[in-house]
Amino acid sequence: MNPIENIEIQPHSPLLDHAITDRFLSDLSDGETAFITKVRGYGAFRKRITEMGFVSGTLVKAIKKAPLQDPAEYELMGYRVSLRRSEAELIEILPADSLERTAKSYNGTHLLETVPHILRERSQHIHVALVGNPNCGKTTLFNYATGKHERVGNYGGVTVDLKTARIKKNDHTLFVTDLPGTYSISEYSPEELFVRHHLTDEMPDVVINVIDASNIERNLYLTTQLIDMDIKVVIALNMFDELETKGDRFDYKMLGEMIGIPIVPCVASKGKGIDKVMQKVIDVFHESEKSVRHIHINYGADINQSVEKLTQLIDKDKTLTDRYHSLYLAIKLLENDSHTFMSLSDLPGTTIIIGTAKHEQNRLEKAYNEKTETILTDAKYAFIKGALKETYHLAPEQKRKAGHNADSVLTHKWLGFPVFLFFMWAMFQVTFTLGSYPMNWINTGLGWLSDTTGNAMPEGALHDLIIDGIIGGVGGVIVFLPNILILFFCISLMEDTGYMARAAFIMDRLMHKIGLHGKSFIPLLMGFGCNVPAIMATRTLENRKDRLLTMLIIPFMSCSARLPVYVLLISAFFPAKQGLVLLSIYLIGVVLAIVMALLFKKVFFQKAEVPFVMELPPYRMPTLRNTSIHMWNKSVQYLTKMGTVILFASILIWALGYFPRNTKNSIRYDTAILKIQNNLSIPENSKETQINKLLIERESERMEKSYIGQIGHLITPVIAPLGFDWKIGVSIITGLAAKEILIGSMGVLYQSDLEADETSVGLQNKLQQQVFTSGPKVGEKVFSPLVAFTLMLFVLIYFPCIAVIAAVKREANWGWAAFTMVYTTVLAWLVAFGTYQIGSLL
C-alpha cells in the first residue's frame, strides 16, 4: 500500500501506453493526421506556438516537407503553416490512426466517444524531474511518492542513474524521474551534465527542486540556475522537522513569492507533505499557482550589461530560443562553459554570439580581476544571502551545533582510525555470530527437504538432478542469505547515519598517498556490498583518471557474492577465529588495492592533484523503513539470481558431472561387488563395508571420467601448483559468471560423492573429507587450512563477475574491461602460488 494519502500507483491501462512511447509532430509522414496533446518548450516559443493554434486537442495534418526536408508544412484550423523540424520536435501528438485502433480495442468504445477521453487523459500527463543536491533526501521523496524502493544513503553519490515511475494524483498521471544528485548544473562532473541534458533535452513539464532545510543557502545555488532556465519549478523543502528542532525561523512563503517559485515544506523520510508537493506540481503545470513568475537575478550593472548584449543576439536565433531561455544561455556563455560553446559552434550563424561572449568575458575579467565563473557564482550567492536575510532567522549557535557532536570521537586525530577498524571488525563478527543461527535453520530445512524428496522419488536421473543438482547446488548458496543480509544491514547503517562520509574523511590522506581522491573511498566501501553499483558510483568523481583508477581497484573490495565462499571455508577450517580470518581477507584486498593503485598511478595515471571537497552531513537517526527496504532489495536480487543464473549453472554442472554414466571400469566394479555379495564366508557387516568402499571408488572414478571431470583435468596443470584439485578448478571456472555459483558448483561436485554415512550434514564435512583421486597426492586430503586460505585469496582477487566487467565497459570502454579481466586473474594466480608454496615450506 502506498503510504501517501490521495496518491496511488497508476494501474495499467491501454490508454496510458501512449505516454510511454511519446510521438512528436516531426514524426508525422506526409498526409498523416494527429491530435496535439502537449507543447513543450518554454517562454517565447511556447507563447508563439500556442497563439498559432497548436494547443491540446487540435487536429493537425502533415502536408509536405521542403525539398531539403526542413521546414515542413502543416494544416490546422483551416489554414497552413510551416514549422522547422526543431520546433515540430517540441509538439507532442497522438496519431489519429492509433486513436482508432485504441478505440476499437478499448471495451468496444466508439472513436468519437473515445477521442475526448484520451486527449483529456494525455493532457493530464505531467513529466516531473526531481533535482537536488546530494544528501538532500531526493531519493527518499521519490521512494515515498512512487512506491519505488531505490537505495537511500546519507552521503553524496547514491543516485548515479536515472529512475522513473508513474503515479496517479487527482486524475493526473505524473511520470516522476529521479535524477542524480548534483550541486549545480555546470560541467564539473558527469552528474551535472547528465542533469543539465535531461532538463534541456527532455524538457520535463515541472521540476521538483528538493532542498535540505538544514542547509538552505548552499542548496539554493542550484535553484538560482533553475531560475535562469525559466522552467516551471516547485521547491520541496525537505527535512523541515530538523529546521524546527534547531529553533530556526524561516518564512518560506515570503521567499517563494520573492523568487517566483512555490515552496512546500515536507519530511520525506516520514512521508509528510509529499501529497502537498504533488498537488502543487499539478497547480504549477496548469499555471493556476499565483506565486509563479519568472524573475531576473540582479548580477550588478556590469554583468547585467553583458547579459543584455548576449540575450539580444540569442533572441534573434529561434533555433536556440526554441530549446533554451536566452538568459540561461547568455549566463552559460559568460561562465565560459566549454560544453555550451561546443554546442553552439556546431550550429550555423552563431559566430557573432560566440565572439561577443568572449569579448564580454574579457571585459568583465579585466574589470573584476577574477574569472567570470567566479564573478557570477559570487553574484548568485549574494542574491541568496540577500533573500535569506529577509526570510531566515537563525537559532542560538549552541543549539545549531547538534548533529555533529559525535565527530569529536569518530573523526578524532588518534581515535578515528581505531574506531573505524573496530566498526569493520564488529561488522564481520556480527555477520558470523548472528548469521550462524538462521544459517543452521536453513541447513536443517534443506537436509529435511533433500531426505523427504529423495525418499518420495524413485532412483534415476530425475532423482539425482533434483537432489544433487538443484537442492545440492542452489541450496548450497541459499544457506548464506542471512549472512549477506546482515552485512548489507551493517553497511546500510553506516550510510544512513552519515558515518560513511566520515570514513572518506578519515581515509583521505591515505587515498591521496596512493593517487586517489578521498571521495574514491565511498565507491570502494560500497564495493564490499556489490562491485557493480560501486563502479557506477565512480561517476561522483569529477576527474576521469580518478574514476578509471578507482574502477580498476574496486574488484579487490570483497563483495557480498564472495562472502558465501568465505563463510563455508572459514567455518570448516578456522572455527576458532572466524571473524579475525574474515577480516584478514578483506584487509588483504584493501592492501592489494593500495599496491595496484600505486602501480597504476605510475604507469597509467600521472596527473595533477584534484582538491578534496566533500560534504560532511549531520548525523541522522536511520529509519527502520530504509534499512529494511535496502535488505529486502538485496535479498530479492540474491534470490532472483538463485532462481535464474545459479539454478541454470547448477543444472548444467550437474549434467556435465552426471554424464556419461558408464566408464570402462564400471563392469569391473559391478563384478567385484557381486562377488562380495555371493561370498558366504565374509561376515555381513564386513560385506557392507567392502561394498561401500567399492561404490565410493566407482563413483569417484565415474566423476573423474565425466565431461566436467575432463574439463577439470585440462586445467589441473595450471592449478596444481596452488594446491587445488580438479573439482576446485571447475568451481573456479563456473564462478566467472557469479561468485555465488562457486559454492553451488562445490555443492554439486562434492555432494555427488557417496559416503558410508549418507546422513552427514553440510558441505563443510564433505570438504574436510575430500582426497585427491589422481596424481602424486592420491589419497591425501585436498583441503587444509592453508589450501582453504589460498582458495579464499584466489576468489578474492581473480576475474570479477560478468556483471562487473559489463559495468566497467559501460563506464569506461572495452579496453579497460578486458584489462580488468586479465590482470586480476594473473594477479590471483601469482598471489595464490606464493601463499601456498611459502605456506607449505613453513
Coordinates of all heavy atoms in Angstrom, one line a residue, residues 551-627:
M551 N 37.9 2.4 -10.5 CA 37.3 1.3 -11.1 C 38.2 0.1 -11.1 O 37.8 -1.1 -10.9 CB 36.9 1.6 -12.6 CG 35.6 2.3 -12.7 SD 35.2 2.5 -14.5 CE 34.6 4.1 -14.5
L552 N 39.5 0.3 -11.4 CA 40.4 -0.8 -11.6 C 40.7 -1.5 -10.2 O 41.1 -2.7 -10.2 CB 41.7 -0.3 -12.2 CG 41.7 0.1 -13.6 CD1 43.1 0.7 -14.1 CD2 41.3 -1.1 -14.5
I553 N 40.5 -0.8 -9.1 CA 40.8 -1.5 -7.8 C 39.6 -1.9 -7.1 O 39.7 -2.5 -6.0 CB 41.8 -0.6 -7.0 CG1 41.1 0.7 -6.6 CG2 43.1 -0.3 -7.7 CD1 41.9 1.6 -5.6
I554 N 38.4 -1.5 -7.5 CA 37.2 -1.8 -6.8 C 37.0 -3.4 -6.7 O 36.5 -3.9 -5.7 CB 36.0 -1.2 -7.5 CG1 35.8 0.3 -7.0 CG2 34.7 -2.0 -7.2 CD1 34.7 1.0 -7.7
P555 N 37.4 -4.2 -7.8 CA 37.2 -5.6 -7.6 C 38.0 -6.2 -6.4 O 37.6 -7.3 -6.0 CB 37.8 -6.2 -9.0 CG 37.6 -5.1 -9.9 CD 37.8 -3.8 -9.2
F556 N 38.9 -5.5 -5.9 CA 39.6 -6.1 -4.7 C 38.8 -5.8 -3.4 O 39.1 -6.4 -2.4 CB 41.0 -5.4 -4.5 CG 41.9 -5.7 -5.7 CD1 42.5 -4.7 -6.4 CD2 42.2 -7.0 -6.0 CE1 43.4 -5.0 -7.4 CE2 43.1 -7.3 -7.0 CZ 43.7 -6.3 -7.8
M557 N 37.7 -5.0 -3.5 CA 36.8 -4.9 -2.4 C 35.9 -6.1 -2.4 O 35.0 -6.2 -3.3 CB 36.1 -3.6 -2.5 CG 36.9 -2.3 -2.6 SD 38.0 -2.1 -1.2 CE 39.6 -2.5 -1.9
S558 N 36.0 -6.9 -1.5 CA 35.3 -8.2 -1.5 C 33.8 -8.1 -1.4 O 33.3 -7.7 -0.3 CB 35.9 -9.1 -0.4 OG 35.4 -10.4 -0.5
C559 N 33.1 -8.3 -2.5 CA 31.7 -8.1 -2.5 C 30.9 -9.2 -1.7 O 31.5 -10.3 -1.4 CB 31.2 -8.0 -3.9 SG 31.3 -9.6 -4.8
S560 N 29.7 -9.0 -1.5 CA 28.9 -10.0 -0.8 C 28.7 -11.3 -1.5 O 28.5 -12.4 -0.8 CB 27.5 -9.4 -0.5 OG 26.8 -9.2 -1.7
A561 N 28.9 -11.3 -2.8 CA 28.8 -12.6 -3.5 C 30.0 -13.6 -3.2 O 29.8 -14.8 -3.3 CB 28.9 -12.3 -5.0
R562 N 31.1 -13.0 -2.7 CA 32.2 -13.8 -2.3 C 32.0 -14.3 -0.9 O 32.7 -15.3 -0.5 CB 33.5 -13.1 -2.4 CG 33.9 -12.6 -3.8 CD 35.1 -11.7 -3.8 NE 35.6 -11.3 -5.1 CZ 35.5 -10.1 -5.6 NH1 34.9 -9.2 -4.9 NH2 36.0 -9.8 -6.8
L563 N 31.2 -13.7 -0.1 CA 31.0 -14.0 1.3 C 30.6 -15.4 1.5 O 31.2 -16.1 2.5 CB 30.0 -13.0 1.9 CG 29.8 -13.2 3.4 CD1 31.1 -12.9 4.2 CD2 28.7 -12.2 3.9
P564 N 29.7 -16.0 0.7 CA 29.4 -17.5 1.0 C 30.6 -18.4 0.9 O 30.7 -19.3 1.7 CB 28.4 -17.8 -0.1 CG 27.7 -16.5 -0.5 CD 28.8 -15.5 -0.3
V565 N 31.5 -18.1 0.0 CA 32.7 -18.9 -0.1 C 33.6 -18.8 1.2 O 34.0 -19.8 1.7 CB 33.6 -18.5 -1.3 CG1 34.8 -19.3 -1.5 CG2 32.8 -18.5 -2.6
Y566 N 33.7 -17.5 1.7 CA 34.5 -17.3 2.9 C 33.8 -18.0 4.1 O 34.5 -18.7 4.9 CB 34.6 -15.8 3.2 CG 35.2 -15.0 2.1 CD1 34.9 -13.7 2.0 CD2 36.1 -15.6 1.2 CE1 35.4 -12.9 1.0 CE2 36.7 -14.8 0.2 CZ 36.3 -13.5 0.1 OH 36.9 -12.7 -0.9
V567 N 32.5 -17.8 4.2 CA 31.8 -18.4 5.3 C 31.9 -19.9 5.3 O 32.2 -20.6 6.4 CB 30.3 -18.0 5.3 CG1 29.5 -18.8 6.3 CG2 30.1 -16.5 5.4
L568 N 31.8 -20.6 4.2 CA 31.9 -22.0 4.1 C 33.3 -22.5 4.5 O 33.5 -23.4 5.4 CB 31.7 -22.4 2.6 CG 31.9 -23.9 2.3 CD1 31.0 -24.8 3.0 CD2 31.9 -24.2 0.8
L569 N 34.4 -21.9 3.9 CA 35.7 -22.3 4.2 C 36.2 -22.0 5.6 O 36.9 -22.8 6.3 CB 36.7 -21.7 3.1 CG 36.4 -22.2 1.7 CD1 37.3 -21.4 0.7 CD2 36.7 -23.7 1.6
I570 N 35.8 -20.8 6.1 CA 36.3 -20.4 7.4 C 35.5 -21.2 8.5 O 36.2 -21.7 9.4 CB 36.0 -18.9 7.6 CG1 36.9 -18.0 6.8 CG2 36.1 -18.5 9.1 CD1 36.6 -16.6 6.8
S571 N 34.3 -21.5 8.3 CA 33.5 -22.3 9.2 C 34.1 -23.8 9.3 O 34.1 -24.4 10.3 CB 32.0 -22.4 8.8 OG 31.5 -21.1 8.8
A572 N 34.6 -24.2 8.1 CA 35.1 -25.6 8.1 C 36.5 -25.7 8.6 O 36.8 -26.7 9.2 CB 35.0 -26.1 6.6
F573 N 37.4 -24.7 8.4 CA 38.8 -24.9 8.7 C 39.3 -23.9 9.7 O 40.5 -24.0 10.1 CB 39.6 -24.8 7.4 CG 39.2 -25.9 6.4 CD1 38.4 -25.6 5.3 CD2 39.7 -27.2 6.5 CE1 38.0 -26.6 4.4 CE2 39.3 -28.2 5.6 CZ 38.5 -27.9 4.6
F574 N 38.6 -22.8 10.0 CA 39.0 -21.8 11.0 C 37.9 -21.6 12.0 O 37.5 -20.4 12.2 CB 39.5 -20.6 10.3 CG 40.5 -20.7 9.3 CD1 40.1 -20.9 7.9 CD2 41.9 -20.7 9.6 CE1 41.1 -21.0 6.9 CE2 42.8 -20.9 8.6 CZ 42.4 -21.0 7.3
P575 N 37.4 -22.6 12.7 CA 36.2 -22.4 13.6 C 36.5 -21.5 14.8 O 35.6 -20.8 15.3 CB 35.8 -23.8 14.0 CG 37.1 -24.6 13.8 CD 37.8 -24.0 12.7
A576 N 37.8 -21.4 15.2 CA 38.1 -20.7 16.4 C 38.3 -19.2 16.2 O 38.2 -18.4 17.1 CB 39.4 -21.3 17.0
K577 N 38.7 -18.8 15.0 CA 39.0 -17.4 14.7 C 38.3 -16.9 13.5 O 38.9 -16.4 12.6 CB 40.5 -17.2 14.6 CG 41.3 -17.6 15.9 CD 42.8 -17.4 15.7 CE 43.5 -17.8 16.9 NZ 45.0 -17.7 16.8
Q578 N 37.0 -17.1 13.5 CA 36.2 -16.8 12.2 C 36.3 -15.3 11.9 O 36.6 -14.9 10.7 CB 34.8 -17.2 12.4 CG 34.6 -18.8 12.6 CD 33.2 -19.2 12.7 OE1 32.3 -18.3 13.0 NE2 32.9 -20.4 12.5
G579 N 35.9 -14.4 12.8 CA 35.9 -13.0 12.5 C 37.2 -12.5 12.1 O 37.3 -11.7 11.2
L580 N 38.3 -12.9 12.8 CA 39.6 -12.4 12.5 C 40.1 -12.9 11.1 O 40.7 -12.1 10.4 CB 40.6 -13.0 13.6 CG 42.0 -12.3 13.6 CD1 41.9 -10.8 13.8 CD2 42.8 -13.0 14.7
V581 N 39.8 -14.1 10.8 CA 40.3 -14.6 9.4 C 39.5 -13.9 8.3 O 40.1 -13.5 7.3 CB 40.0 -16.1 9.3 CG1 40.3 -16.6 7.9 CG2 40.9 -16.9 10.3
L582 N 38.2 -13.7 8.5 CA 37.4 -12.9 7.5 C 37.9 -11.5 7.4 O 38.1 -11.0 6.3 CB 35.9 -12.9 7.9 CG 35.0 -12.3 6.9 CD1 35.1 -13.0 5.5 CD2 33.6 -12.2 7.4
L583 N 38.2 -10.9 8.5 CA 38.8 -9.5 8.5 C 40.1 -9.5 7.7 O 40.4 -8.5 6.9 CB 38.9 -8.9 9.9 CG 39.5 -7.5 10.0 CD1 38.6 -6.5 9.3 CD2 39.7 -7.1 11.4
S584 N 40.9 -10.5 7.9 CA 42.2 -10.5 7.2 C 42.0 -10.6 5.7 O 42.8 -10.0 5.0 CB 43.0 -11.7 7.7 OG 42.5 -13.0 7.3
I585 N 41.0 -11.4 5.3 CA 40.8 -11.5 3.8 C 40.4 -10.1 3.3 O 40.9 -9.7 2.2 CB 39.7 -12.5 3.5 CG1 40.1 -13.9 3.9 CG2 39.3 -12.4 2.1 CD1 41.2 -14.5 3.0
Y586 N 39.5 -9.4 4.0 CA 39.1 -8.1 3.5 C 40.3 -7.1 3.5 O 40.4 -6.3 2.6 CB 38.0 -7.6 4.4 CG 36.6 -8.1 4.0 CD1 36.2 -9.4 4.3 CD2 35.7 -7.4 3.2 CE1 35.0 -10.0 4.0 CE2 34.5 -7.9 2.9 CZ 34.1 -9.2 3.3 OH 32.9 -9.7 2.9
L587 N 41.1 -7.2 4.6 CA 42.3 -6.3 4.7 C 43.3 -6.6 3.6 O 43.9 -5.6 3.0 CB 42.9 -6.4 6.1 CG 42.1 -5.8 7.2 CD1 42.8 -6.1 8.5 CD2 41.9 -4.3 7.0
I588 N 43.5 -7.8 3.2 CA 44.4 -8.2 2.2 C 43.9 -7.6 0.9 O 44.7 -7.1 0.0 CB 44.6 -9.7 2.0 CG1 45.4 -10.2 3.2 CG2 45.2 -10.1 0.7 CD1 45.4 -11.8 3.3
G589 N 42.6 -7.6 0.6 CA 42.0 -7.0 -0.5 C 42.3 -5.5 -0.6 O 42.7 -4.9 -1.6
V590 N 42.2 -4.8 0.6 CA 42.5 -3.4 0.7 C 44.0 -3.1 0.4 O 44.3 -2.2 -0.3 CB 42.1 -2.8 2.1 CG1 42.5 -1.4 2.3 CG2 40.6 -3.0 2.3
V591 N 44.9 -3.9 1.0 CA 46.3 -3.8 0.7 C 46.6 -3.9 -0.7 O 47.4 -3.2 -1.3 CB 47.1 -4.8 1.6 CG1 48.6 -4.7 1.2 CG2 46.9 -4.4 3.1
L592 N 46.0 -5.0 -1.4 CA 46.3 -5.2 -2.8 C 45.8 -4.0 -3.6 O 46.4 -3.6 -4.6 CB 45.6 -6.5 -3.2 CG 46.3 -7.8 -3.0 CD1 45.4 -9.0 -3.3 CD2 47.6 -7.8 -3.7
A593 N 44.6 -3.5 -3.2 CA 44.1 -2.3 -3.9 C 45.1 -1.1 -3.8 O 45.3 -0.4 -4.8 CB 42.7 -1.9 -3.3
I594 N 45.7 -0.9 -2.7 CA 46.7 0.2 -2.5 C 47.9 -0.1 -3.3 O 48.4 0.9 -4.0 CB 47.1 0.3 -1.0 CG1 45.9 0.7 -0.2 CG2 48.2 1.2 -0.8 CD1 46.1 0.7 1.3
V595 N 48.4 -1.3 -3.3 CA 49.6 -1.6 -4.1 C 49.4 -1.4 -5.6 O 50.1 -0.8 -6.3 CB 50.1 -3.0 -3.8 CG1 51.2 -3.5 -4.8 CG2 50.5 -3.2 -2.4
M596 N 48.2 -1.9 -6.1 CA 47.9 -1.8 -7.5 C 47.6 -0.3 -7.9 O 48.0 0.1 -9.0 CB 46.7 -2.7 -7.9 CG 47.0 -4.2 -7.7 SD 48.5 -4.8 -8.4 CE 48.2 -4.5 -10.1
A597 N 47.0 0.4 -7.0 CA 46.7 1.8 -7.3 C 48.1 2.6 -7.4 O 48.2 3.4 -8.3 CB 45.9 2.4 -6.1
L598 N 49.0 2.3 -6.5 CA 50.3 2.9 -6.7 C 51.0 2.6 -8.0 O 51.6 3.4 -8.7 CB 51.2 2.5 -5.5 CG 50.9 3.1 -4.1 CD1 51.6 2.4 -3.0 CD2 51.1 4.6 -4.1
L599 N 50.9 1.3 -8.4 CA 51.5 0.9 -9.6 C 50.8 1.5 -10.8 O 51.5 2.1 -11.7 CB 51.4 -0.7 -9.7 CG 51.9 -1.3 -11.1 CD1 53.4 -1.0 -11.2 CD2 51.6 -2.8 -11.1
F600 N 49.5 1.5 -10.8 CA 48.7 2.1 -12.0 C 49.0 3.6 -12.0 O 49.0 4.2 -13.1 CB 47.2 1.8 -11.8 CG 46.9 0.4 -12.0 CD1 45.8 -0.2 -11.3 CD2 47.6 -0.4 -12.9 CE1 45.5 -1.6 -11.5 CE2 47.3 -1.8 -13.1 CZ 46.3 -2.3 -12.4
K601 N 49.1 4.2 -10.9 CA 49.4 5.7 -10.9 C 50.6 6.0 -11.6 O 50.7 7.0 -12.4 CB 49.4 6.2 -9.4 CG 49.7 7.7 -9.3 CD 49.9 8.1 -7.9 CE 50.3 9.5 -7.8 NZ 50.6 9.9 -6.4
K602 N 51.7 5.2 -11.4 CA 53.0 5.4 -12.1 C 52.9 5.1 -13.5 O 53.5 5.8 -14.4 CB 54.1 4.6 -11.4 CG 54.4 5.1 -10.0 CD 55.6 4.3 -9.4 CE 55.9 4.8 -8.0 NZ 56.4 6.2 -7.9
V603 N 52.1 4.0 -13.9 CA 52.1 3.5 -15.3 C 51.1 4.3 -16.1 O 51.4 4.7 -17.3 CB 51.8 2.0 -15.3 CG1 51.7 1.5 -16.7 CG2 52.9 1.3 -14.5
F604 N 49.9 4.5 -15.6 CA 48.8 5.0 -16.5 C 48.4 6.4 -16.1 O 47.9 7.1 -17.0 CB 47.6 4.1 -16.4 CG 47.8 2.7 -16.8 CD1 47.5 1.6 -15.9 CD2 48.3 2.4 -18.1 CE1 47.7 0.3 -16.3 CE2 48.5 1.1 -18.5 CZ 48.2 0.0 -17.6
F605 N 48.4 6.8 -14.9 CA 47.7 8.0 -14.4 C 48.5 9.0 -13.8 O 48.2 9.5 -12.7 CB 46.6 7.5 -13.4 CG 45.6 6.5 -14.0 CD1 45.6 5.2 -13.5 CD2 44.8 6.8 -15.0 CE1 44.8 4.3 -14.0 CE2 43.9 5.9 -15.6 CZ 43.9 4.6 -15.1
Q606 N 49.6 9.5 -14.4 CA 50.3 10.6 -13.9 C 49.4 11.8 -14.2 O 49.0 12.1 -15.3 CB 51.6 10.8 -14.7 CG 52.6 9.7 -14.5 CD 53.3 9.7 -13.1 OE1 53.1 10.7 -12.4 NE2 54.0 8.7 -12.7
K607 N 49.1 12.6 -13.1 CA 48.1 13.7 -13.3 C 48.3 14.7 -12.2 O 48.9 14.5 -11.2 CB 46.7 13.1 -13.2 CG 46.4 12.5 -11.9 CD 45.0 12.0 -11.8 CE 44.7 11.3 -10.5 NZ 44.8 12.3 -9.4
A608 N 47.6 15.8 -12.4 CA 47.6 16.9 -11.4 C 46.6 16.5 -10.3 O 45.6 15.8 -10.6 CB 47.2 18.2 -12.1
E609 N 46.9 16.9 -9.1 CA 46.0 16.6 -8.0 C 44.7 17.4 -8.1 O 44.6 18.5 -8.6 CB 46.7 16.9 -6.7 CG 48.0 16.2 -6.4 CD 47.8 14.7 -6.3 OE1 46.6 14.3 -6.0 OE2 48.7 13.9 -6.5
V610 N 43.6 16.7 -7.6 CA 42.3 17.3 -7.6 C 42.0 17.6 -6.1 O 42.2 16.8 -5.2 CB 41.2 16.4 -8.2 CG1 39.9 17.0 -8.0 CG2 41.5 16.1 -9.6
P611 N 41.6 18.8 -5.8 CA 41.3 19.2 -4.4 C 40.2 18.3 -3.8 O 39.3 17.9 -4.5 CB 40.9 20.7 -4.4 CG 40.4 20.9 -5.8 CD 41.2 20.0 -6.7
F612 N 40.3 18.1 -2.5 CA 39.3 17.3 -1.7 C 38.2 18.2 -1.2 O 38.4 18.9 -0.3 CB 40.0 16.5 -0.6 CG 39.1 15.7 0.2 CD1 38.5 14.6 -0.3 CD2 38.8 16.1 1.5 CE1 37.6 13.8 0.5 CE2 37.9 15.3 2.3 CZ 37.3 14.2 1.8
V613 N 37.1 18.1 -1.8 CA 35.9 18.9 -1.3 C 34.8 17.9 -1.2 O 34.3 17.3 -2.2 CB 35.5 20.0 -2.3 CG1 34.3 20.8 -1.8 CG2 36.7 20.9 -2.6
M614 N 34.2 17.8 0.0 CA 33.2 16.8 0.2 C 32.3 17.2 1.4 O 32.9 17.7 2.4 CB 33.7 15.4 0.5 CG 32.7 14.4 0.7 SD 33.4 12.7 1.0 CE 31.9 11.8 1.4
E615 N 31.0 17.1 1.3 CA 30.1 17.4 2.4 C 30.2 16.4 3.5 O 30.2 15.2 3.2 CB 28.7 17.5 1.8 CG 27.7 17.9 2.9 CD 26.3 17.8 2.3 OE1 26.1 17.5 1.2 OE2 25.3 18.1 3.1
L616 N 30.2 16.9 4.7 CA 30.0 16.0 5.9 C 28.7 16.3 6.5 O 28.5 17.3 7.2 CB 31.1 16.3 6.9 CG 32.6 15.9 6.5 CD1 33.5 16.3 7.7 CD2 32.6 14.4 6.3
P617 N 27.7 15.5 6.1 CA 26.3 15.8 6.5 C 26.1 15.6 8.0 O 26.9 14.8 8.6 CB 25.5 14.8 5.7 CG 26.4 13.6 5.5 CD 27.8 14.3 5.3
P618 N 25.2 16.2 8.6 CA 24.9 15.9 10.0 C 24.5 14.5 10.3 O 24.0 13.8 9.4 CB 23.8 16.9 10.4 CG 23.1 17.2 9.1 CD 24.2 17.1 8.1
Y619 N 24.8 13.9 11.4 CA 24.4 12.6 11.7 C 22.9 12.5 11.9 O 22.3 13.4 12.4 CB 25.1 12.1 13.1 CG 26.5 11.9 13.0 CD1 27.4 12.8 13.4 CD2 27.1 10.7 12.4 CE1 28.8 12.7 13.3 CE2 28.4 10.5 12.3 CZ 29.3 11.5 12.8 OH 30.6 11.3 12.7
R620 N 22.4 11.5 11.3 CA 20.9 11.3 11.3 C 20.6 9.9 11.8 O 21.3 8.9 11.5 CB 20.3 11.5 10.0 CG 20.4 13.0 9.5 CD 19.5 13.3 8.3 NE 19.5 14.7 8.0 CZ 20.2 15.3 7.1 NH1 21.1 14.6 6.4 NH2 20.2 16.6 6.9
M621 N 19.4 9.8 12.5 CA 19.0 8.5 13.0 C 18.4 7.7 11.8 O 17.5 8.2 11.2 CB 17.9 8.7 14.1 CG 17.4 7.4 14.7 SD 18.7 6.5 15.6 CE 19.0 7.6 17.0
P622 N 19.0 6.6 11.5 CA 18.4 5.8 10.4 C 17.0 5.3 10.7 O 16.7 5.0 11.8 CB 19.4 4.7 10.2 CG 20.0 4.5 11.6 CD 20.1 5.9 12.2
T623 N 16.2 5.2 9.6 CA 14.9 4.7 9.8 C 14.8 3.2 9.5 O 15.5 2.7 8.6 CB 13.9 5.4 8.9 OG1 14.2 5.1 7.5 CG2 13.9 6.9 9.2
L624 N 14.0 2.5 10.3 CA 13.9 1.0 10.0 C 13.4 0.8 8.6 O 13.7 -0.2 8.0 CB 13.0 0.4 11.1 CG 12.8 -1.1 11.0 CD1 14.1 -1.8 11.2 CD2 11.7 -1.5 12.1
R625 N 12.6 1.7 8.1 CA 12.0 1.5 6.8 C 13.1 1.5 5.7 O 13.1 0.6 4.9 CB 11.0 2.6 6.5 CG 10.3 2.5 5.1 CD 9.3 3.7 4.9 NE 8.6 3.5 3.7 CZ 9.0 3.8 2.5 NH1 10.2 4.4 2.4 NH2 8.3 3.6 1.4
N626 N 14.0 2.4 5.8 CA 15.1 2.5 4.8 C 16.0 1.3 4.8 O 16.3 0.7 3.8 CB 15.9 3.8 4.9 CG 15.2 5.0 4.4 OD1 14.2 4.9 3.6 ND2 15.6 6.2 4.8
T627 N 16.4 0.9 6.0 CA 17.3 -0.2 6.1 C 16.6 -1.5 5.7 O 17.2 -2.4 5.1 CB 17.8 -0.4 7.6 OG1 16.7 -0.3 8.5 CG2 18.8 0.8 7.9

